[in-house]
Amino acid sequence: MTETAADLPFADYNVPADPPAGPRMAIIGEAPGAEEAKQGRPFVGRSGKLLDENLAAAGVERARCFIGNVFRYQPPGNKVGHFFASRTRARKEGRAIDERWGAFGTSDWVLAEFSGEIDSLRNALREFAPRVIVALGRTPTWALTGQNGIMQLRGQVLPCRLLDGVEVVPTFHPSYILRGQLTEQPTFLADLKLAASRLAG
Ligand code: URA
């Protein structure tokens, strides 16, 4: 069965109504998991706990950040590939793709029915006006910078393609660390500290 947007659980962003004064950080993941979809808030499950611990260690107050996802829908099996397709697959499934945002990987484009998610992310970011955005993993790195390859891009400071003058620091998704790459936790923390350092001055 091909689930469309209407069939999927949904967790909206929570842009603080009254954003804190001073330079702000946004943190963007890929899509809600089951717990996030249930509670309607991003990063409240196991990944969220790891994120919170490392934010605290980097001296970042979560309450001062906007935390969101590229996609507000929970994909079946938590597989973000649900939102993308090659031309061939899209044709086979009778779905339209939107090439406006460029390819995700080598040949996958966001399906037209989900491409508004990136516009919505841009609107949320515009409202929050961060100075720096932490991209948690490959999907937000692609959405925010148009570039692919988290292993090469993590730990860099890149321009955000959705908002002029805003920086993006890609790092690992916490679920990658939880899936067994515990040795990457110090790198994750170092990337968060790099992002935090961009708020100074
Ligand atoms: N993983 C994400 O990418 N986002 C969440 O909100 C939770 C888990």
Side-chain angles (χ1 to χ4, degrees):
M1 172 187 157
T2 302
E3 277 113 331
T4 62
D7 305 317
L8 299 174
F10 183 81
D12 206 353
Y13 304 108
N14 187 19
V15 181
D18 191 10
R24 292 183 282 278
M25 179 186 288
I27 301 166
I28 304 298
E30 58 185 28
E35 199 50 40
E36 287 79 14
K38 199 155 72 182
Q39 295 191 30
R41 292 197 316 127
F43 284 103
V44 291
R46 284 182 71 222
S47 289
K49 186 161 177 288
L50 185 71
L51 176 64
D52 288 355
E53 288 164 3
N54 283 275
L55 283 176
V60 176
E61 246 183 280
R62 174 172 171 144
R64 287 185 50 87
C65 302
F66 164 54
I67 305 190
N69 288 304
V70 177
F71 297 100
R72 294 167 298 174
Y73 297 94
Q74 185 198 353
N78 290 332
K79 297 261 186 300
V80 80
H82 184 79
F83 303 120
F84 299 92
S86 64
R87 277 200 192 85
T88 322
R89 202 192 104 200
R91 203 173 303 124
K92 225 184 282 171
E93 294 181 357
R95 301 168 102 174
I97 54 177
D98 184 343
E99 297 191 20
R100 233 173 0 134
W101 299 110
F104 179 65
T106 49
S107 62
D108 280 358
W109 284 267
V110 66
L111 288 160
E113 71 189 280
F114 295 110
S115 72
E117 292 299 286
I118 299 164
D119 296 298
S120 159
L121 173 63
R122 171 158 48 201
N123 290 341
L125 289 171
R126 192 174 280 145
E127 200 178 321
F128 186 68
R131 178 183 286 182
V132 65
I133 308 174
V134 174
L136 297 174
R138 179 180 174 218
T139 308
T141 298
W142 164 81
L144 293 163
T145 71
Q147 298 189 59
N148 277 292
I150 188 64
M151 291 301 174
Q152 299 76 41
L153 298 172
R154 65 133 291 278
Q156 298 190 38
V157 178
L158 304 171
C160 180
R161 66 167 165 169
L162 301 183
L163 275 188
D164 285 346
V166 175
E167 297 178 339
V168 178
V169 175
T171 190
F172 299 122
H173 192 286
S175 72
Y176 169 73
I177 299 167
L178 290 171
R179 282 199 309 267
Q181 305 301 322
L182 288 176
T183 54
E184 298 290 16
Q185 185 273 332
T187 308
F188 179 57
L189 176 56
D191 293 345
L192 294 179
K193 285 183 174 167
L194 168 66
S197 75
R198 310 301 289 185
L199 297 177

